[in-house]
């Protein structure tokens, strides 16, 4: 029973960190390297700047995404995966493989 409770708590944590429409999309883009805010905004069709800011702040607070500001004119902001976020690469790859296999069986 204790293991089941731990599994539920782990799943709740995963959903809290990665849940929502945009977070996995953001992570899948950052998987390939650093991106500036405007690059992320252009690559994610349909996301508003306000929503992108919110999702990036959530991921930053969770320790998954790093925000780096450069003193340029105008100010440049880059986002990348933290060392903890980089540990998600195998998970993202497995999720992609699962999606491909699942779609083929439909």
């Amino acid at each position: 029973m204790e293991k089941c409770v731990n599994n539920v708590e782990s799943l709740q944590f995963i959903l809290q960190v990665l849940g929502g429409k945009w977070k996995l999309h953001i992570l899948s883009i950052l998987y390939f390297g650093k991106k500036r805010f405007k690059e992320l905004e252009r690559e994610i069709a349909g996301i508003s700047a306000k929503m992108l800011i919110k999702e990036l702040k959530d991921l930053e607070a969770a320790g998954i995404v790093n925000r780096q500001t450069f003193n340029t004119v105008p100010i440049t902001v880059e986002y990348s995966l933290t060392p903890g976020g980089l540990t998600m690469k195998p998970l993202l790859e497995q999720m992609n493989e699962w999606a491909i296999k699942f779609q083929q069986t439909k």
Side-chain angles (χ1 to χ4, degrees):
M1 183 69 173
E2 185 177 316
K3 186 174 182 174
C4 182
V5 170
N6 287 340
N7 286 346
V8 170
E9 289 173 1
S10 295
L11 288 173
Q12 286 175 333
F13 173 74
I14 291 167
L15 289 173
Q16 177 187 347
V17 173
L18 301 178
K21 183 176 179 179
W22 303 109
K23 287 180 182 154
L24 284 175
H25 199 148
I26 293 166
L27 293 173
S28 67
I29 292 170
L30 293 177
Y31 175 93
F32 295 102
K34 296 177 180 180
K35 292 286 183 179
R36 290 181 301 192
F37 180 84
K38 283 294 185 185
E39 291 174 316
L40 284 169
E41 191 176 24
R42 277 192 294 269
E43 288 189 40
I44 304 173
I47 193 168
S48 67
K50 184 177 177 179
M51 180 57 73
L52 180 55
I53 290 167
K54 179 203 171 298
E55 297 291 62
L56 287 166
K57 282 183 180 181
D58 289 350
L59 290 167
E60 186 180 5
I64 305 293
V65 169
N66 182 48
R67 179 183 191 268
Q68 188 172 10
T69 305
F70 298 94
N71 231 358
T72 57
V73 177
I75 292 176
T76 304
V77 179
E78 274 187 351
Y79 294 90
S80 61
L81 295 176
T82 63
L86 289 170
T87 64
M88 295 180 64
K89 279 189 169 189
L91 174 64
L92 294 172
E93 289 171 358
Q94 286 179 337
M95 290 173 69
N96 184 54
E97 289 172 17
W98 173 83
I100 292 168
K101 287 179 185 175
F102 185 77
Q103 289 173 341
Q104 290 172 347
T105 62
K106 290 176 102 182

